[in-house]
Amino acid sequence: MMGEVHDGDTVMDYMIQERERGITISSAAITFQWKNHKINLIDTPGHVDFTFEVERSLSVLDGAVVILDASAGVEVQTLKVWEQANRYGVPSIIYLNKLDKPAADIDMCLSSIKKKLKVKPLLLHTPVGKGKEFEGVVEPLFLKKHLWSRKGIEKDGVNFLSQDLSCNQEDSNFKLIMEERTKIIENVADLDDILADKYLTEGIECLNTVDLQSALKRITVKKIAIPVFCGSSYKNIAVQLLMDAIVAYLPSPCERNRDVFSLDTDELCALAFKIIHNKNKEPLTFLRLYSGCLKSGQRVYNKGKGIFEKVGKLMVPLADNFKEVPFSSSGNIVVATGFKEVVTGDLLFSSGSYASKIFSEQSDVLGPLIQVPDPVFFCTIEPPSVGFQKRLEFALQCLQREDPTFQVEFDEAIGQTIIMGMGELHIDVIKERIRVEYGINVYLGPLQIAYRETLGKIVEHTHVLDRAISGSKHFAKITMKLYPQKSSLKHINVIVTKDNNLGKIRSDYLKAINEGIKSALNNGPLLSFPVIDVGIDLLWLEVGKGTSLTMLSAAASQCVMAALRKSEMCLLEPIMKLSIGVNKGYAGRVLNDLSQKRSQILNMELRDDVEIIQALTPLSELRGYSTQLRALTSGTCSFTLEFSNYQKMESSEQEKTILEVTGFHSL
């Protein structure tokens, strides 16, 4: 049975929070058949607070369908998803949805695709009717017309009328359709040498459906251009043609991975990309199988943890339902029970030797690792009573394992638990899930901004640790230089000279020093926020005989903290990319308000009677912004925001922030 997003009864949006809000929060997987092809589909959220759900889904997909509102074209969040798809090298097609809206504008959409996505769009559908009169599409390339009833007789859209236009050349529009067909073929031939050779040697009349579809698939897989299709999902118009396009133009697992794995090998390679908990709070791990076969009860090797774990049940996902299967082969997405240590991003192999072979031969075999963005909001969380403390800790542990962008820390200084997330909605959903799924009415403190700290100038410091513990003497003398740099620190730079003898430094000493540095950078001297954009050089090291690695790590940590206190530290604030859609009459009010929020206006674009304003704005200025914006525009607006970067604050703003957070002026 089909459902509707706005009615809160879709199959894929199964969470209570999704159905109440009418939005997708968590990615959901389903497996189904379409015309003798098996499709593993993952539905992802569009809201920026849940962008990691898109990130981890794209990391395991062979192809993507980018869905655009035909009245809005490429929006801010579309750009983010497009950048993610490109990073994972995922071929895509575009579907222009909501062609039944009066403001639908295909030319505007094509222009925005070309301008913003920097890719050539190939429109393969021509709509029949406009706005409420939209009733179908023409496929000029294959000379087909498909019409759906607008009278409500066939609401599910299963039955529709298809016409072969080549048999009806008397149609007044046939000449225009043939001109459009020739234009599409010429554009495809310009991009595909194989089709171009046949076109030039045999002529356009010798090009058949197989030739054209094969050329379009090669172009799509190579990401040279992108096929564009039209329809109305709400009215179930042309959705079937979109499914046909997925099969025809997006690669199969064999085609996507043929240069990476031998898919007929018995050796297993799988990626854990998502974890959820069932009603009994047992972890369910979603796996993409890249090679080999996985069976229930099988022992697998976790490359990241260096341990073996045993698969419990093996299941095929059907949104929030699961069908148990005895085994599954490469190319599939499955769900496994029984894993206790597996987390998102772990690679699983049939054996340790096969894992070593893959990483020694092809270290970049699966492309980039799943990237987890840093949270930008945090707040305290408390149970209603001490009796709920252990239940709350268990709930937070489960939710953190499910969602790596949700982080939990215990602050010993204030004796409270801190939760961190990607936005106000993200944390609100977490709170609601704890209430509904774990039965705890938690209290959240006020939301605060996740600032960062960095160096203002180069500083050098020598620290001496000389301590006797339980009769054992520990001595370490260490000199470091700290300096600003654009990228985050991965490890200390060892500066070797003829005087310091650091060329012979022991590897365990170096590991201990790096651990101490990492610990020190977690809490800066201004507001105890993490320190970023800093480089560190090791200039001198003396270690006394019998000194433990723990004490050496402590000496390194103390040296860094002392150096940070000596430097002129700066506070960095998160800057958000803001996109606002507002009626022309209210644009002036919005711009005036943004100017008072320290915003940098990036672009203004007029679409019909709607002004699209794009700006960079400090997150601290946007708390409660949705309420403010509705008041400014009498509710006639919409906006999206996403994290852009961290930016150094002006000294006056820094003083204001320190006073707000601590209640004291900085010295």
Side-chain angles (χ1 to χ4, degrees):
M1 184 183 73
M2 290 187 293
E4 300 295 345
V5 173
H6 52 268
D7 291 335
D9 61 357
T10 63
V11 173
M12 303 296 273
D13 292 339
Y14 59 85
M15 292 173 62
I16 294 174
Q17 294 78 18
E18 292 176 316
R19 298 193 167 190
E20 286 178 348
R21 290 173 167 82
I23 61 171
T24 301
I25 290 172
S26 177
S27 57
I30 194 168
T31 301
F32 61 92
Q33 297 286 331
W34 180 260
K35 296 185 177 179
N36 298 319
H37 290 81
K38 184 179 181 181
I39 296 178
N40 293 297
L41 172 70
I42 299 181
D43 178 34
T44 61
H47 197 286
V48 69
D49 280 17
F50 309 104
T51 187
F52 181 71
E53 291 293 327
V54 181
E55 182 84 21
R56 62 173 155 197
S57 299
L58 284 171
S59 71
V60 298
L61 293 176
D62 298 315
V65 180
V66 180
I67 302 177
L68 303 184
D69 183 334
S71 66
V74 176
E75 299 180 87
V76 173
Q77 188 59 16
T78 311
L79 292 170
K80 176 66 176 177
V81 174
W82 186 255
E83 182 269 327
Q84 290 171 308
N86 282 339
R87 190 166 63 250
Y88 290 102
V90 179
S92 308
I93 61 176
I94 288 179
Y95 174 60
L96 302 181
N97 191 22
K98 304 182 182 180
L99 259 291
D100 55 312
K101 291 175 69 172
D105 187 337
I106 289 181
D107 290 337
M108 178 273 293
C109 289
L110 296 176
S111 177
S112 68
I113 291 168
K114 191 182 301 182
K115 180 181 177 182
K116 296 179 180 179
L117 302 185
K118 311 296 182 187
V119 65
K120 183 173 184 176
L122 298 172
L123 182 65
L124 302 184
H125 284 174
T126 301
V128 178
K130 187 175 181 180
K132 292 182 179 180
E133 303 300 313
F134 175 64
E135 60 180 348
V137 297
V138 171
E139 293 183 289
L141 204 57
F142 309 117
L143 296 177
K144 298 281 186 181
K145 179 189 279 187
H146 309 280
L147 298 174
W148 280 258
S149 171
R150 290 189 287 108
K151 298 178 181 179
I153 299 173
E154 294 290 349
K155 289 184 179 180
D156 58 7
V158 173
N159 298 318
F160 57 96
L161 177 66
S162 292
Q163 302 174 8
D164 187 346
L165 296 179
S166 61
C167 300
N168 186 21
Q169 299 184 17
E170 304 298 323
D171 192 315
S172 58
N173 293 320
F174 185 76
K175 184 178 178 181
L176 293 174
I177 293 169
M178 286 300 294
E179 289 176 357
E180 185 65 25
R181 181 176 188 269
T182 302
K183 181 181 174 183
I184 295 172
I185 291 174
E186 288 176 347
N187 283 332
V188 174
D190 285 341
L191 301 168
D192 183 75
D193 292 339
I194 297 175
L195 186 74
D197 288 342
K198 188 167 185 178
Y199 177 46
L200 294 172
T201 56
E202 300 181 27
I204 193 171
E205 62 279 356
C206 294
L207 299 177
N208 56 39
T209 299
V210 174
D211 294 328
L212 296 170
Q213 287 189 332
S214 297
L216 280 166
K217 185 167 188 173
R218 288 190 292 271
I219 289 169
T220 304
V221 171
K222 292 177 182 177
K223 299 177 72 69
I224 301 170
I226 190 163
V228 180
F229 305 91
C230 303
S232 169
S233 297
Y234 177 58
K235 293 189 175 179
N236 301 306
I237 296 177
V239 177
Q240 297 91 334
L241 305 183
L242 175 64
M243 295 303 303
D244 291 340
I246 290 171
V247 171
Y249 304 123
L250 293 178
S252 70
C254 296
E255 294 164 321
R256 182 96 162 101
N257 299 301
R258 62 182 174 216
D259 296 327
V260 177
F261 296 109
S262 173
L263 294 182
D264 57 357
T265 181
D266 292 332
E267 298 285 2
L268 171 74
C269 177
L271 175 67
F273 68 94
K274 181 179 173 70
I275 296 173
I276 64 173
H277 289 79
N278 61 17
K279 293 178 181 178
N280 298 321
K281 302 309 174 218
E282 178 186 19
L284 306 178
T285 305
F286 286 71
L287 303 170
R288 166 66 199 268
L289 307 185
Y290 285 100
S291 68
C293 180
L294 184 64
K295 302 175 183 178
S296 58
Q298 181 177 342
R299 290 179 77 247
V300 296
Y301 179 72
N302 185 333
K303 172 66 177 175
K305 304 289 190 303
I307 59 173
F308 279 92
E309 289 201 66
K310 188 176 180 180
V311 178
K313 294 179 182 178
L314 197 63
M315 300 174 286
V316 173
L318 301 168
D320 59 338
N321 293 314
F322 303 94
K323 179 183 177 182
E324 190 171 350
V325 294
F327 68 92
S328 187
S329 56
S330 60
N332 283 302
I333 288 174
V334 293
V335 177
T337 66
F339 292 137
K340 294 181 173 59
E341 301 296 330
V342 173
V343 296
T344 297
D346 279 350
L347 284 168
L348 307 178
F349 295 89
S350 50
S351 66
S353 58
Y354 183 61
S356 300
K357 178 184 175 184
I358 288 293
F359 274 81
S360 62
E361 293 178 357
Q362 296 165 308
S363 60
D364 60 344
V365 69
L366 293 178
L369 296 174
I370 301 175
Q371 297 185 9
V372 182
D374 292 329
V376 293
F377 273 112
F378 71 95
C379 65
T380 58
I381 184 169
E382 295 178 2
S385 67
V386 177
F388 285 91
Q389 184 62 41
K390 286 190 176 180
R391 283 175 59 184
L392 175 59
E393 289 173 1
F394 175 72
L396 294 176
Q397 182 184 356
C398 291
L399 293 171
Q400 194 173 11
R401 191 175 181 190
E402 288 186 17
D403 181 2
T405 62
F406 172 62
Q407 297 180 17
V408 182
E409 290 182 1
F410 182 76
D411 191 324
E412 294 183 359
I414 61 174
Q416 287 188 301
T417 301
I418 308 293
I419 62 171
M420 292 167 279
M422 299 303 297
E424 294 177 87
L425 178 60
H426 187 199
I427 289 180
D428 187 47
V429 167
I430 290 290
K431 177 185 177 182
E432 188 65 14
R433 287 192 63 188
I434 293 172
R435 184 186 69 82
V436 173
E437 297 173 26
Y438 296 89
I440 309 170
N441 285 309
V442 294
Y443 168 75
L444 297 184
L447 281 179
Q448 299 182 56
I449 309 298
Y451 295 98
R452 294 291 184 267
E453 300 179 27
T454 194
L455 289 175
K457 67 175 184 179
I458 299 173
V459 61
E460 188 175 309
H461 184 71
T462 299
H463 179 75
V464 178
L465 182 145
D466 190 356
R467 188 177 300 175
I469 300 177
S470 301
S472 298
K473 186 175 181 180
H474 301 271
F475 174 84
K477 182 179 180 181
I478 187 168
T479 302
M480 296 184 188
K481 181 171 78 171
L482 281 65
Y483 50 89
Q485 67 174 19
K486 292 293 183 183
S487 57
S488 295
L489 180 75
K490 294 182 179 179
H491 52 76
I492 193 170
N493 301 309
V494 180
I495 307 301
V496 180
T497 68
K498 60 182 180 180
D499 298 322
N500 63 20
N501 204 32
L502 288 176
K504 298 179 181 179
I505 185 172
R506 286 168 43 176
S507 60
D508 56 344
Y509 282 2
L510 199 56
K511 183 179 179 181
I513 291 170
N514 277 312
E515 287 175 354
I517 290 171
K518 183 179 178 182
S519 174
L521 294 180
N522 283 335
N523 302 97
L526 285 178
L527 293 174
S528 294
F529 287 107
V531 179
I532 63 172
D533 298 342
V534 59
I536 302 179
D537 291 344
L538 178 61
L539 305 179
W540 185 269
L541 179 65
E542 291 179 50
V543 182
K545 186 177 180 180
T547 301
S548 70
L549 294 177
T550 302
M551 296 305 291
L552 178 57
S553 182
S557 179
Q558 291 164 10
C559 183
V560 171
M561 288 190 287
L564 292 175
R565 287 192 292 268
K566 282 171 61 176
S567 178
E568 295 176 359
M569 297 298 293
C570 303
L571 207 57
L572 302 174
E573 62 179 338
I575 304 297
M576 309 301 287
K577 188 181 293 183
L578 182 64
S579 179
I580 305 170
V582 59
N583 290 341
K584 281 171 57 178
Y586 295 103
R589 295 185 189 179
V590 173
L591 287 170
N592 182 58
D593 183 59
L594 287 175
S595 67
Q596 298 176 37
K597 295 183 182 296
R598 300 185 286 131
S599 297
Q600 176 190 347
I601 306 300
L602 299 178
N603 186 44
M604 292 183 63
E605 179 183 344
L606 186 63
R607 294 181 193 163
D608 295 326
D609 292 329
V610 178
E611 194 83 53
I612 307 299
I613 303 169
Q614 294 181 341
L616 291 175
T617 307
L619 180 58
S620 59
E621 302 284 355
L622 295 175
R623 282 179 285 198
Y625 187 59
S626 57
T627 303
Q628 297 172 27
L629 195 58
R630 281 196 296 269
L632 276 174
T633 62
S634 300
T636 60
C637 69
S638 63
F639 81 100
T640 60
L641 75 161
E642 64 169 316
F643 173 74
S644 174
N645 63 294
Y646 277 98
Q647 190 170 293
K648 192 176 293 187
M649 300 179 74
E650 297 288 339
S651 57
S652 58
E653 290 296 331
Q654 179 169 312
E655 285 290 331
K656 179 181 174 183
T657 300
I658 292 173
L659 178 62
E660 180 183 318
V661 174
T662 66
F664 301 97
H665 289 285
S666 61
L667 297 177

